[in-house]
Structures are given as C-alpha cells and as structure tokens.
C-alpha cells in the first residue's frame, strides 16, 4: 500500500467495502488529510509509540512462572534456580520427593531435571536414600560441567 494512493489500494474492493475501508484508514491517520496518500513513516511511528519491553535477568528464561529454557551461562542458571528454590520452598521444610515434585510443577513439566539441578547447585539437599529434601539456606554453588 505504501507508494500508492488509497483509491488505488482499494480499487479492487466492492463500493461498500471500499467506503468502509477508506473511512477506517482515513480515521486512523494512515493517510495525509485530503490527499488519500499514505503518510510516510506511519508504521514506524506506530511501532515506536508502543515499544516492546525487553526482558532482563531471569525473566528472559521465564514465561510467567514457567521456565521456558535453562540459561547456558552457569551463573544465570544459578540465579534462575535460586529464584525457584526461594519461591517453591521455605526454610525448615523437609519434604518427600513427591512433595518436592508437586511444588516444582508450576515451574516446569520436567520436575526431575529441575529437582536434579536444584540438588546439583546445592540449593536443595537430598538424603542419600532419596526420601527427603530440604532447602539448604545457601546461595547456588555453580555446577561444574563435564568437558
């Protein structure tokens, strides 16, 4: 439509539809008044008037409360996991694996991976027999990736 007149852009429409479309476009400010010529840079100004907020920090990896993806950067992954641990568990909680899974479900469908990460980053401690889990009360200890 850019580089054309409104009449040329709507020429193939039926007369009643052309009238409705013309009125809507004129009322939107997309054409220069009285000229039926599309306003230069109209789309740029519309897009610039409502900038999309950029996500920062762990929000980049979340969709609401749900983890969309785990950060590749180990420090950022630790920050994300610390947020999950502080949000899902309270100091003094001693939970079974089933209770831990239920608390982690709002954050990820794959609770086994999330639970494992929380243990690996020493945000949750797990009894050696796997029957109980508890919040450690410390910050994340970066996991060492295998080479």
């Amino acid at each position: 439509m850019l580089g054309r007149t409104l009449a040329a852009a709507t020429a193939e429409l039926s007369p009643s539809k052309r009238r409705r479309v013309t009125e809507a476009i004129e009322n939107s400010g997309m054409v220069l008044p009285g000229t039926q010529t599309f306003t230069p840079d109209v789309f740029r100004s519309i897009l610039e008037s409502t900038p999309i907020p950029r996500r920062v920090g762990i929000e980049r990896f979340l969709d609401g409360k749900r983890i969309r993806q785990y950060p590749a950067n180990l420090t950022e992954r630790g920050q994300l996991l610390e947020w999950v641990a502080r949000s899902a568990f309270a100091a003094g909680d001693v939970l079974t694996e089933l209770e831990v899974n239920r608390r982690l479900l709002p954050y990820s469908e794959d609770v086994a991976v999330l639970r494992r990460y929380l243990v690996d980053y020493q945000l949750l401690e797990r009894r050696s027999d796997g029957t109980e889990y508890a919040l450690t009360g410390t910050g994340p200890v970066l996991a060492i990736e295998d080479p």
Side-chain angles (χ1 to χ4, degrees):
M1 293 177 76
L2 293 176
R4 299 169 68 189
T5 65
L6 183 55
T10 59
E12 295 179 19
L13 301 176
S14 68
S16 63
K17 189 164 191 163
R18 184 180 320 122
R19 195 170 34 258
R20 286 193 315 269
V21 169
T22 300
E23 183 179 318
I25 291 176
E26 286 175 343
N27 291 338
S28 73
M30 292 174 58
V31 293
L32 296 169
T35 66
Q36 290 217 343
T37 304
F38 286 95
T39 306
D41 299 324
V42 66
F43 298 111
R44 178 178 294 130
S45 65
I46 290 170
L47 291 172
E48 288 174 351
S49 70
T50 55
I52 298 171
R54 292 194 56 96
R55 293 179 178 196
V56 294
I58 64 168
E59 289 179 3
R60 294 176 299 156
F61 308 104
L62 297 171
D63 187 9
K65 281 177 44 164
R66 279 192 86 75
I67 298 170
R68 272 188 304 110
Q69 72 181 59
Y70 290 96
N73 178 287
L74 298 180
T75 301
E76 289 177 334
R77 188 181 304 169
Q79 292 167 349
L80 174 66
L81 295 170
E82 184 173 24
W83 172 79
V84 170
R86 302 291 173 241
S87 300
F89 307 106
D93 286 348
V94 178
L95 306 166
T96 66
E97 185 172 306
L98 182 60
E99 292 168 324
V100 169
N101 290 349
R102 284 186 184 138
R103 291 199 187 182
L104 294 178
L105 195 55
Y107 302 94
S108 174
E109 284 187 32
D110 194 345
V111 293
V113 167
L114 180 52
R115 188 182 65 241
R116 180 82 256 151
Y117 273 147
L118 291 169
V119 171
D120 288 348
Y121 276 72
Q122 298 178 20
L123 293 162
L124 277 185
E125 54 188 346
R126 174 184 176 268
R127 284 185 57 152
S128 59
D129 62 2
T131 58
E132 292 180 338
Y133 291 80
L135 196 60
T136 62
T138 64
V141 175
L142 295 183
I144 298 174
E145 301 279 321
D146 290 335

